[in-house]
Amino acid sequence: AQKVTQAQTEISVVEKEDVTLDCVYETRDTTYYLFWYKQPPSGELVFLIRRNSFDEQNEISGRYSWNFQKSTSSFNFTITASQVVDSAVYFCALSSNAGNNRKLIWGLGTSLAVNP
Amino acid sequence: KAGVTQTPRYLIKTRGQQVTLSCSPISGHRSVSWYQQTPGQGLQFLFEYFSETQRNKGNFPGRFSGRQFSNSRSEMNVSTLELGDSALYLCASSLARGQGFTSSGANVLTFGAGSRLTVL
């Protein structure tokens, strides 16, 4: 079965702290894609990153970084020096074609509150 | 370019009524996916339309239906509303199929701001 687990339901930090959002996935596929999306209070989800299963390089984009480890089936997201504008719900998702059944499987999300 | 537009943004209905929600995708995008978002269940996939055909469907009762027009605009309909249908309904568009991936990779979804439905 395919599954995405975001064990942290809510996280609260003070501005400028670093914070890591965990994402653990389950799949038997050898080819798959992983995503992170951000949902600010306005409601629309915003794409942050896409990674395929063959690319385990970590990625850094400004204050954001992602650590993809196939050995532990994790795709964790770190925000360095958090800011109030980072307050949002963050979703991790797994794209799969298992058995020709195309799916995008979502975690339940982690609500991040960055306090001034 | 314009983003994904969903209308109406907010609506209130009573049990037993029906509702139609509209989604205009980004120009050129042919795939529209619909999601229901509730605090307890997270994002639940409803269905995906591509080139006017439903390509994929989630585990929702037949009261939930949708369609896509030739200009890629999509509507979803919920009949005989129940209290549990209260949710944020999100629409997402993508160039190619939004669910799963092709040899070109997995497509990025661009979401609208959603339609918040309250059923009383």
Side-chain angles (χ1 to χ4, degrees), chain B residues 54-67:
Chain B
Q54 188 180 90
R55 304 291 180 152
N56 212 340
K57 190 176 187 304
N59 293 326
F60 278 81
R63 301 185 296 107
F64 291 81
S65 63
R67 59 179 175 168

Side-chain angles (χ1 to χ4, degrees), chain A residues 6 21 36-39 48 64 77 79 85-92 108-112:
Chain A
Q6 295 181 256
L21 310 182
W36 276 95
Y37 283 83
K38 171 183 179 180
Q39 185 179 37
L48 294 177
Y64 294 172
F77 173 30
I79 302 174
V85 293
D86 295 327
S87 297
V89 180
Y90 291 86
F91 290 93
C92 180
L108 291 179
T110 296
S111 178
L112 173 65

Side-chain angles (χ1 to χ4, degrees), chain B residues 11-21 36 63-64 76-87 89 117-120:
Chain B
L11 64 166
I12 299 173
K13 294 284 187 178
T14 56
R15 278 182 299 174
Q17 288 187 310
Q18 74 162 14
V19 66
T20 298
L21 308 178
Q36 181 195 67
R63 301 185 296 107
F64 291 81
M76 66 162 284
N77 183 277
V78 188
S79 62
T80 320
L81 284 166
E82 301 176 358
L83 294 178
D85 296 334
S86 294
Y89 290 88
L117 170 65
T118 302
V119 182
L120 303 177

Side-chain angles (χ1 to χ4, degrees), chain A residues 19-113:
Chain A
V19 58
T20 295
L21 310 182
D22 297 333
C23 173
V24 174
Y25 62 92
E26 295 177 31
T27 181
R28 292 182 180 178
D29 297 346
T30 55
T31 303
Y32 51 89
Y33 287 78
L34 295 164
F35 292 84
W36 276 95
Y37 283 83
K38 171 183 179 180
Q39 185 179 37
S42 54
E44 78 279 16
L45 278 80
V46 176
F47 165 75
L48 294 177
I49 189 171
R50 170 184 53 199
R51 179 53 52 87
N52 75 50
S53 52
F54 298 107
D55 182 3
E56 282 193 80
Q57 274 196 325
N58 291 333
E59 180 151 343
I60 298 174
S61 176
R63 296 183 296 107
Y64 294 172
S65 62
W66 290 269
N67 182 0
F68 177 28
Q69 292 196 336
K70 287 178 74 171
S71 59
T72 56
S73 296
S74 65
F75 187 40
N76 296 338
F77 173 30
T78 298
I79 302 174
T80 303
S82 60
Q83 299 177 2
V84 172
V85 293
D86 295 327
S87 297
V89 180
Y90 291 86
F91 290 93
C92 180
L94 166 69
S95 184
S96 164
N97 280 3
N100 288 324
N101 187 8
R102 297 166 176 266
K103 285 184 179 180
L104 186 57
I105 299 140
W106 296 82
L108 291 179
T110 296
S111 178
L112 173 65

Side-chain angles (χ1 to χ4, degrees), chain B residues 7-54:
Chain B
T7 57
R9 289 293 314 278
Y10 302 92
L11 64 166
I12 299 173
K13 294 284 187 178
T14 56
R15 278 182 299 174
Q17 288 187 310
Q18 74 162 14
V19 66
T20 298
L21 308 178
S22 179
C23 172
S24 294
I26 286 176
S27 179
H29 282 194
R30 296 167 63 192
S31 169
V32 172
S33 297
W34 286 91
Y35 289 90
Q36 181 195 67
Q37 185 178 20
T38 56
Q41 300 294 319
L43 283 163
Q44 305 265 315
F45 172 67
L46 282 155
F47 24 66
E48 178 185 17
Y49 285 87
F50 182 79
S51 294
E52 301 179 64
T53 302
Q54 188 180 90

